[in-house]
């Protein structure tokens, strides 16, 4: 069903056989849809790309390739353009028959075995459990979840993971903030939230939960007694809030790994000793991290990991002079734990504020797995929220940031999910509340869902009017050879590009390619539909010509299947009726 791949491989086989080359020799050859439709269906730069390697002119190479391509029964015409560029036109029947394949395969259209069932770990969100998820987390959550869907589509065995940072000073701060809310729940009105703690109203329910479990018992206890108890409840309750927020976006993780557990069960210490046994640690001085007390850091001996040996720009502290871990050491252990669980491919989705941390973690993964595992890090840049020209910054619920739940409550899951993948992850993104509420073609998610709903509406109307029998089985009996107009074939070509878009989205880790594609497909469908308003011969449903109507209905059904599966990969519902 992947027409692009089929002909790319056909040309590749010809080149490999004819010129006795290896796969590495042709890896830079392009095979694309030409920018001008009149040039053919596919174009390749093979002749130009191989000229240096073969020490022949591009035209000589092109003539050899064309000679063999002309023997292919599916190919209508092959031209050499310019200095050896090859344009290929295939017969209409190839495009037309694709409709049958899509209708027969439905949601499996676009499936591939690119991953060959290889295990891959995708870690995303991993926000500190100290508050509800905000807009920054939302972009990473949608990106990671959509990428996971796409990787599964192309044959990877994906594990979706969330790393719970439930150890350290931020968690102590959470527990102290929750204790203030617990005091309030117990009727103590004189307390206030000290500066530096979390002021958000979301902790009120946590305080109520502590009271429900302990009553007034903790009020007269010392912090050393209540802190671990409150900490445990706070983390549990915050994770419930986070999971509920993610569920509102249709996001669920397979695994939640606890930093506290890695520390508490001795695993971090074990990996530290393993690094030491590999002679990858040493005692030395280093400059203090940002925000650290200079007096507490200068002229102190720390334990450093030799990350420069693995491509980092400097060695990194894993254990401070006072014997406490830096945040880096548990992270090393955590990625070692992933590799032990069988993940040699790992993808981490981080926020923009973590970009400076990439080189040290990738170097650690190389070191601790003896270069057997690889880590890719995808950084999601900031999201700017607007209402038209006005920037939105404040939130009533959190006290400062806009929460994920507030976004979903206002504009809906589908709009949030789609807009979060309308830009490449490393580019800033604008999210206009007013735009995503519009029911116009300027709102891309509405325009796409409207296309799918319109197709469903046409099918319903044909059934109601009993114009002809209509179901997928009957559509497989339609005569697609009647789809011989230029506009018919051009729409089929766009549908045919779906498997290629999915593979590219997976290979380059770029879900935004799918979002762009669906917008283009929807636009092409709407244009195709509107042709009938100007020319009766181009109507999709024409009672005067039932056979052509059945064929065109099969075509738009294939469009609907493609849109539905694309939206499914984006985690979005394909509406059959607009709400």
């Amino acid at each position: 069903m992947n027409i692009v791949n089929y002909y790319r491989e056909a040309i590749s086989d010809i080149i490999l056989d004819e010129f006795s080359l290896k796969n590495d020799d042709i890896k830079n050859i392009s095979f694309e849809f030409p920018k001008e439709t009149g040039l053919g269906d596919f174009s390749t730069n093979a002749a130009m790309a191989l000229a240096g390697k073969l020490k022949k002119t591009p035209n000589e190479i092109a003539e050899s390739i064309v000679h063999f391509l002309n023997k292919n029964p599916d190919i209508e015409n092959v031209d050499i353009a310019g200095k050896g560029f090859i344009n290929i036109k295939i017969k209409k029947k190839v495009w037309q028959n694709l409709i049958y394949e899509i209708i027969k395969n439905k949601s499996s259209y676009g499936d591939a075995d690119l991953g060959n069932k290889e295990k891959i770990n995708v870690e995303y969100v991993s926000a500190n459990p100290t508050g509800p998820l905000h807009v920054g987390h939302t972009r990473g959550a949608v990106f990671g979840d959509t990428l996971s869907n796409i990787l599964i589509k192309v044959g990877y065995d994906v594990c979706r993971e969330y790393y719970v940072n439930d150890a350290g000073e931020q968690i102590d701060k959470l527990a102290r903030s929750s204790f203030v809310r617990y005091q309030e729940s117990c009727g103590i009105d004189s307390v206030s939230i000290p500066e530096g703690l979390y002021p958000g109203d979301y902790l009120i329910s946590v305080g109520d939960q502590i009271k429900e479990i302990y009553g007034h018992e903790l009020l007269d206890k010392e912090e050393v007694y209540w802190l671990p108890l409150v900490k445990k409840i706070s983390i549990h309750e915050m994770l419930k809030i986070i999971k509920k927020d993610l569920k509102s976006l249709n996001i669920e993780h397979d695994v939640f790994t606890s930093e506290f557990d890695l520390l508490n069960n001795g695993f971090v210490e074990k990996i530290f000793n393993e690094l030491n046994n590999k002679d990858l640690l040493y005692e030395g001085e280093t400059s203090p991290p940002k925000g650290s007390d200079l007096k507490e850091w200068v002229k102190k001996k720390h334990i450093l990991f030799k990350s420069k040996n693995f491509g980092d720009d400097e060695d990194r502290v894993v254990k401070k002079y006072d014997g406490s871990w830096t945040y880096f050491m548990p992270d090393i252990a955590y990625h070692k734990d992933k590799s032990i669980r069988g993940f040699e491919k790992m993808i981490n989705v981080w926020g923009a504020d973590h970009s400076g941390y990439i080189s040290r973690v990738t170097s650690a993964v190389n070191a601790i797995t003896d270069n057997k595992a690889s880590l890719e890090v995808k950084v999601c840049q900031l999201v700017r929220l607007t209402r038209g020209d006005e920037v939105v910054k404040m939130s009533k619920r959190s006290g400062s940031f806009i929460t994920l739940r507030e976004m979903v409550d206002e504009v809906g899951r589908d709009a949030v999910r789609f807009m979060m993948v309308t830009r490449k992850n490393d580019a800033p993104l604008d999210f206009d509340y007013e735009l995503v509420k519009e029911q116009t073609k300027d709102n891309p998610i509405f325009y796409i869902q409207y296309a799918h709903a319109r197709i469903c509406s046409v099918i319903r109307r044909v059934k109601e009017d009993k114009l002809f029998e209509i179901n997928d089985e009957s559509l497989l009996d339609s005569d697609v050879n009647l789809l011989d107009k230029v506009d018919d074939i051009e729409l089929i070509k766009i549908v045919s590009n779906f498997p290629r878009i999915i593979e590219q989205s997976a290979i380059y880790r770029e879900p935004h390619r799918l979002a762009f594609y669906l917008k283009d497909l929807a636009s092409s469908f709407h244009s195709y539909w509107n042709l009938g308003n100007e020319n009766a011969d181009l109507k999709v449903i024409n009672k005067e010509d039932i056979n052509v109507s059945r064929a065109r209905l099969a075509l738009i059904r294939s469009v609907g299947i493609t849109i539905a599966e694309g939206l499914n990969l984006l985690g979005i519902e394909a509406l059959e009726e607009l709400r």
Side-chain angles (χ1 to χ4, degrees):
M1 290 187 291
N2 191 332
I3 290 179
V4 179
N5 270 4
Y6 175 81
Y7 288 102
R8 180 193 289 118
E9 289 173 9
I11 289 178
S12 297
D13 289 343
I14 289 171
I15 292 170
L16 293 173
D17 291 343
E18 173 69 5
F19 302 108
S20 300
L21 298 175
K22 297 178 180 178
N23 283 319
D24 281 349
D25 297 324
I26 63 171
K27 62 184 180 182
N28 293 324
I29 291 175
S30 68
F31 189 78
E32 306 289 341
F33 290 105
K35 292 181 180 178
E36 297 179 34
T37 56
L39 295 177
D41 298 321
F42 303 115
S43 294
T44 178
N45 68 343
M48 290 180 285
L50 293 172
K53 174 76 177 175
L54 298 175
K55 300 190 183 326
K56 294 183 178 182
T57 67
N59 268 29
E60 287 178 299
I61 299 169
E63 286 171 5
S64 295
I65 296 173
V66 168
H67 172 72
F68 286 98
L69 283 176
N70 279 326
K71 294 180 180 180
N72 188 309
D74 292 339
I75 292 178
E76 183 174 302
N77 188 49
V78 187
D79 288 325
I80 301 172
K83 297 180 179 180
F85 218 86
I86 300 171
N87 295 320
I88 304 162
K89 185 175 182 61
I90 61 176
K91 293 179 179 177
K92 288 180 180 179
K93 68 174 184 178
V94 177
W95 301 114
Q96 294 160 342
N97 288 337
L98 179 65
I99 293 172
Y100 294 142
E101 295 301 316
I102 296 172
I103 293 174
K104 280 191 288 189
N105 288 277
K106 297 183 178 64
S107 63
S108 64
Y109 178 48
D111 285 4
D113 58 2
L114 194 68
N116 198 28
K117 300 302 179 187
E118 182 180 8
K119 293 179 70 174
I120 188 167
N121 182 284
V122 184
E123 180 208 326
Y124 53 103
V125 189
S126 297
N128 293 339
T130 54
L133 300 177
H134 57 63
V135 61
H137 300 131
T138 305
R139 187 175 187 186
V142 173
F143 176 88
D145 195 60
T146 305
L147 178 59
S148 296
N149 291 340
I150 292 170
L151 290 172
I152 291 169
K153 180 77 172 173
V154 299
Y156 284 97
D157 181 4
V158 176
C159 174
R160 308 165 194 254
E161 186 150 345
Y162 188 119
Y163 182 47
V164 184
N165 301 111
D166 52 0
E169 294 179 5
Q170 296 285 19
I171 300 301
D172 289 345
K173 183 177 167 181
L174 169 68
R176 293 187 181 105
S177 304
S178 298
F179 191 78
V180 175
R181 296 300 190 180
Y182 161 66
Q183 291 173 309
E184 291 175 343
S185 184
C186 290
I188 301 176
D189 298 326
S190 58
V191 296
S192 60
I193 299 172
E195 187 176 347
L197 296 188
Y198 299 115
D201 291 347
Y202 57 85
L203 288 176
I204 293 174
S205 62
V206 180
D208 292 340
Q209 183 65 19
I210 298 168
K211 180 191 173 187
E212 184 174 327
I213 296 172
Y214 289 103
H216 290 69
E217 177 186 340
L218 302 182
L219 291 176
D220 58 356
K221 302 291 185 182
E222 296 293 326
E223 181 179 290
V224 68
Y225 177 84
W226 60 254
L227 188 66
L229 302 175
V230 171
K231 192 185 299 187
K232 184 176 181 180
I233 296 170
S234 300
I235 293 168
H236 180 265
E237 292 300 309
M238 289 312 306
L239 280 175
K240 280 171 59 178
I241 291 173
I242 288 171
K243 289 178 182 179
K244 189 174 181 180
D245 286 350
L246 290 172
K247 184 67 174 174
S248 73
L249 272 178
N250 199 26
I251 294 174
E252 293 185 65
H253 290 80
D254 302 312
V255 174
F256 284 78
T257 299
S258 162
E259 179 186 2
F260 177 81
D261 288 347
L262 294 176
L263 288 162
N264 198 46
N265 65 17
F267 188 73
V268 174
E269 185 75 40
K270 176 184 176 182
I271 302 308
F272 175 83
N273 292 333
E274 187 176 320
L275 290 173
N276 197 37
N277 292 336
K278 290 183 174 185
D279 193 29
L280 293 175
L281 302 178
Y282 69 96
E283 189 176 46
E285 296 180 8
T286 187
S287 55
K290 290 181 181 178
S292 299
D293 187 334
L294 192 61
K295 294 178 181 178
E296 292 293 319
W297 199 267
V298 174
K299 295 183 180 179
K300 303 287 186 180
K301 295 287 186 181
H302 312 282
I303 305 299
L304 287 85
F305 164 60
K306 297 178 182 178
S307 53
K308 286 174 68 175
N309 291 3
F310 300 90
D312 198 1
D313 54 359
E314 64 179 287
D315 293 338
R316 306 291 180 175
V317 178
V318 291
K319 182 182 279 191
K320 293 188 280 189
Y321 67 92
D322 61 2
S324 62
W325 304 115
T326 62
Y327 53 82
F328 185 36
M329 189 60 230
D331 282 353
I332 296 175
Y334 169 49
H335 287 86
K336 175 64 174 180
D337 176 66
K338 287 185 184 181
S339 71
I340 290 172
R341 287 185 274 135
F343 297 108
E344 292 186 356
K345 273 196 171 133
M346 310 172 198
I347 299 174
N348 287 1
V349 181
W350 292 348
D353 55 338
H354 287 77
S355 57
Y357 194 50
I358 295 173
S359 60
R360 72 190 71 178
V361 178
T362 53
S363 69
V365 170
N366 293 335
I368 202 63
T369 66
D370 297 320
N371 292 308
K372 292 177 181 176
S374 64
L375 169 66
E376 295 176 62
V377 177
K378 306 301 290 185
V379 173
C380 290
Q381 286 295 334
L382 300 177
V383 178
R384 188 180 73 144
L385 299 177
T386 62
R387 295 186 190 281
D389 296 329
E390 181 184 348
V391 177
V392 181
K393 293 182 178 179
M394 299 303 290
S395 162
K396 293 179 180 178
R397 182 166 183 252
S398 70
S400 56
F401 53 81
I402 304 296
T403 67
L404 178 159
R405 183 60 65 85
E406 287 169 327
M407 294 181 69
V408 174
D409 286 348
E410 179 163 350
V411 302
R413 179 193 74 195
D414 291 348
V416 172
R417 286 200 64 131
F418 187 84
M419 295 305 293
M420 288 297 163
V421 289
T422 54
R423 291 288 179 274
K424 191 175 178 181
N425 59 284
D426 57 5
L429 184 148
D430 285 343
F431 187 107
D432 186 345
Y433 280 101
E434 300 308 317
L435 173 65
V436 298
K437 292 177 184 178
E438 292 179 4
Q439 292 197 344
T440 69
K441 67 179 182 179
D442 293 328
N443 176 1
I445 183 55
F446 168 79
Y447 205 47
I448 295 165
Q449 288 181 318
Y450 176 39
H452 186 267
R454 179 180 251 180
I455 291 167
C456 293
S457 174
V458 173
I459 293 172
R460 281 196 305 272
R461 193 164 69 245
V462 169
K463 286 181 179 178
E464 290 167 2
D465 293 347
K466 298 180 180 178
L467 189 60
F468 50 79
E469 185 180 1
I470 176 67
N471 54 49
D472 285 347
E473 188 174 342
S474 66
L475 289 177
L476 291 173
D477 289 331
S478 61
D479 185 2
V480 293
N481 293 318
L482 297 172
L483 299 172
D484 57 359
K485 300 288 192 294
V486 171
D487 298 293
D488 298 325
I489 301 300
E490 287 305 312
L491 183 57
I492 299 172
K493 285 182 184 179
I494 295 170
V495 174
S496 78
N497 203 25
F498 180 64
R500 177 171 171 265
I501 294 295
I502 298 302
E503 286 198 6
Q504 288 181 332
S505 299
I507 291 168
Y508 299 108
R509 320 301 196 214
E510 293 181 346
H512 72 279
R513 291 174 182 248
L514 176 56
F516 287 175
Y517 168 79
L518 289 177
K519 184 179 177 183
D520 289 343
L521 177 57
S523 178
S524 297
F525 164 73
H526 288 302
S527 297
Y528 179 78
W529 176 267
N530 291 333
L531 289 171
N533 296 331
E534 303 168 6
N535 185 342
D537 288 340
L538 296 176
K539 282 182 176 292
V540 173
I541 303 300
N542 185 347
K543 294 181 181 181
E544 303 302 318
D545 195 334
I546 297 300
N547 289 331
V548 170
S549 296
R550 282 163 57 90
R552 287 197 174 135
L553 200 61
L555 169 54
I556 69 168
R557 170 65 176 140
S558 73
V559 174
I561 289 170
T562 306
I563 291 175
E565 182 55 14
L567 289 175
N568 179 56
L569 293 172
L570 295 179
I572 295 170
E573 183 181 2
L575 298 178
E576 296 190 4
E577 291 184 87
L578 293 180
R579 294 164 184 162

